Amino acid sequence: MAVVRLMTRLPWAIDTQLQRDADLSMVEYMALAMLSEAPEWTLRMSALAEHTSTSLSRLSHMVKRLESRGYVRREPDPADGRFTNAILLPDGMAKLKSAAPAHVAYVRHLVVDNLSGERLRRLGQDAERILQRIDSPAR
């Protein structure tokens, strides 16, 4: 039950902090972060949906909101027009950079500073094992 509570309360706590301090939801922050790490700040919408663990429909609505705020734009993929790319704009990168310090500090406070280096390393390993099982074809 502790794991179930952690899986629901930690994202809620992080989302609350991001909403309060940066006017971004956790998934919006994740999308901006994923785009910031992509070549040319560009990802196909389908890849961004996978990286943020959200449906393509939900992602499309969220990206529309980010577009209206001037943080991203969408355009057809020049390599294959059947796909749409999400592109991080300079204002989106500025928003991410302004949100990051408080967000990172909060996550450090909740998680990193609460665990020894060894426990943090083990948590990462255990998380990877669980994710591999989730992502395996034999679900």
Side-chain angles (χ1 to χ4, degrees):
M1 289 309 295
V3 172
V4 171
R5 286 194 323 272
L6 175 65
M7 289 172 36
T8 56
R9 303 251 338 255
L10 183 60
W12 173 84
I14 292 170
D15 191 72
T16 300
Q17 177 272 320
L18 283 166
Q19 290 278 2
R20 180 188 65 236
D21 296 344
D23 194 29
L24 290 171
S25 69
M26 186 170 73
V27 72
E28 288 171 335
Y29 181 90
M30 287 175 56
L32 295 177
M34 294 293 110
L35 288 169
S36 77
E37 295 174 357
E40 300 179 29
W41 295 354
T42 301
L43 283 172
R44 282 186 175 169
M45 291 284 287
S46 55
L48 188 56
E50 186 176 322
H51 289 312
T52 57
S53 298
T54 189
S55 71
L56 196 50
S57 174
R58 180 174 179 214
L59 179 76
S60 182
H61 290 289
M62 182 198 64
V63 168
K64 188 175 183 180
R65 286 192 309 273
L66 293 173
E67 270 186 305
S68 72
R69 295 164 76 182
Y71 298 153
V72 300
R73 77 170 187 269
R74 289 181 283 187
E75 64 183 39
D77 185 333
D80 188 339
R82 296 175 297 169
F83 295 99
T84 300
N85 287 336
I87 301 155
L88 181 65
L89 298 175
D91 283 353
M93 180 57 99
K95 183 65 171 178
L96 181 64
K97 285 181 177 180
S98 72
H103 172 64
V104 170
Y106 190 62
V107 171
R108 285 191 69 81
H109 168 74
L110 291 178
V111 180
V112 177
D113 296 344
N114 239 350
L115 301 172
S116 69
E118 177 60 21
R119 283 188 170 202
L120 194 58
R121 186 184 65 73
R122 284 186 188 169
L123 177 61
Q125 289 173 336
D126 292 342
E128 283 300 323
R129 287 179 60 197
I130 293 167
L131 288 168
Q132 285 173 2
R133 178 148 307 168
I134 290 169
D135 293 338
S136 72
R139 293 181 193 182

